């Protein structure tokens, strides 16, 4: 009879284990989907910032582009439009 009252103040071990796992369910860490999302967004952000920095560096260091030479035929047409006669005509 003494054995019946020995565990009266405590729950049986199986119920006690279930309660402890239910309490620790929130403290397991990040959701795997959230981790994948954070990694993806982080890599995307690094890519965009890196491209911007490379663009700014290229703007400062590269020489300006050379303009394409205008052909003689186009130059003659432009002068005719402006009303200036081409030399030699």
């Amino acid at each position: 009879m003494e054995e019946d009252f020995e565990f009266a103040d405590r729950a049986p071990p199986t119920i006690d284990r279930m309660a402890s796992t239910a309490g620790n369910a929130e403290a397991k860490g990040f959701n795997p989907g959230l981790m994948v999302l954070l990694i993806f967004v982080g890599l995307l952000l690094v890519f965009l910032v890196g491209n911007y920095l490379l663009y700014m560096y290229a703007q400062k260091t590269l020489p300006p582009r050379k303009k394409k030479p205008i052909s003689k035929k186009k130059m003659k047409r432009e002068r005719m439009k402006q009303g200036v006669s081409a030399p030699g005509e």
Side-chain angles (χ1 to χ4, degrees):
M1 193 123 163
E2 292 175 22
E3 294 177 20
D4 291 339
F5 297 106
E6 187 176 347
F7 297 109
D9 60 338
R10 292 186 292 163
T14 55
I15 296 173
D16 192 32
R17 266 189 264 137
M18 293 294 270
S20 66
T21 56
N24 291 339
E26 296 174 10
K28 284 196 174 189
F30 291 110
N31 184 358
L34 180 65
M35 291 299 293
V36 169
L37 184 67
L38 287 174
I39 290 170
F40 179 74
V41 169
L43 289 174
L44 183 66
L45 189 65
V46 166
F47 176 75
L48 292 175
V49 169
N51 275 347
Y52 178 73
L53 292 175
L54 283 172
Y55 173 76
M56 294 303 291
Y57 175 73
Q59 291 295 315
K60 290 178 184 177
T61 58
L62 291 177
R65 282 188 180 174
K66 292 182 180 178
K67 293 183 178 179
K68 287 184 179 178
I70 301 173
S71 68
K72 291 180 183 178
K73 193 175 185 180
K74 270 190 180 178
M75 199 180 306
K76 187 176 178 182
R77 250 190 242 143
E78 286 295 322
R79 285 189 187 148
M80 293 296 278
K81 282 183 186 177
Q82 292 175 2
V84 179
S85 63
E89 288 188 12

